[in-house]
Amino acid sequence: MASAATMMLRNATRRSFVQMSRFNSPAVGSFRMLSSIKFAETHEYVKVEGNIASIGISDHAQTLLGDIVFVELPEVGDEIEKGETFTSVESVKAASDVYAPVSGTIVEVNESLADSPELVNEDAEGKAWFVKVEMSDPSEFDDLITPETYKASLHED
């Protein structure tokens, strides 16, 4: 059973997160990008700008994997299908497949990960995106889960 102080902290944190989510609504110009982030249940994230989706693994996924030592990068021009493996990542603990959260054509790969795979541990949901994809079916983004739902699902595990 959680102490009263712990419960107060949880509630304060939850309120702050909800208030922050409202502030980051699409109506608030410079924060539009933040509201265009969703997650797959397989721990990949998608950040959308227009019809281009940046895809990588979540911060939670990199924590579970531990120190990342290798990221297999696909080729520009490769087609990826939602739900299918499109690359893999290796850590000191394990190798893991990375699944496409949306379908489309890879238009850019993050070459910096070839020489510095540890960037995934340092900034998984920022500078360590794996690929940028021109989505063939932008409605697939709608099927992904919100940051709030993703965060809640982590507490259920």
Side-chain angles (χ1 to χ4, degrees):
M1 180 101 176
S3 70
T6 301
M7 293 303 294
M8 286 175 50
L9 181 60
R10 284 183 187 160
N11 288 336
T13 303
R14 189 173 300 128
R15 275 195 302 274
S16 297
F17 189 73
V18 169
Q19 290 167 345
M20 191 173 180
S21 296
R22 281 190 207 126
F23 181 71
N24 290 333
S25 72
V28 182
S30 64
F31 291 94
R32 182 181 176 101
M33 176 89 169
L34 292 177
S35 65
S36 298
I37 300 170
K38 290 194 175 181
F39 293 85
E41 292 177 3
T42 51
H43 305 291
E44 294 83 14
Y45 70 84
V46 179
K47 293 181 183 178
V48 172
E49 283 190 89
N51 197 37
I52 303 297
S54 297
I55 301 171
I57 63 171
S58 71
D59 186 59
H60 178 72
Q62 72 78 22
T63 299
L64 292 175
L65 286 167
D67 294 335
I68 305 295
V69 295
F70 179 73
V71 177
E72 180 182 353
L73 294 172
E75 298 289 324
V76 170
D78 285 355
E79 298 286 328
I80 63 173
E81 275 302 310
K82 180 180 177 179
E84 299 293 322
T85 301
F86 76 95
T87 193
S88 64
V89 61
E90 295 178 17
S91 73
V92 295
K93 292 182 183 178
S96 181
D97 288 335
V98 180
Y99 298 92
V102 294
S103 301
T105 304
I106 296 174
V107 295
E108 188 176 349
V109 296
N110 190 348
E111 296 290 346
S112 61
L113 297 179
D115 295 326
S116 302
E118 69 276 3
L119 287 175
V120 178
N121 296 114
E122 296 167 8
D123 194 12
E125 295 174 22
K127 294 178 183 174
W129 53 271
F130 288 12
V131 296
K132 292 189 179 185
V133 173
E134 183 175 357
M135 294 183 291
S136 57
D137 183 359
S139 70
E140 290 176 339
F141 182 73
D142 298 332
D143 298 335
L144 300 172
I145 56 179
T146 66
E148 297 86 357
T149 302
Y150 179 71
K151 185 177 178 180
S153 74
L154 301 179
H155 297 293
E156 294 171 1
D157 291 341

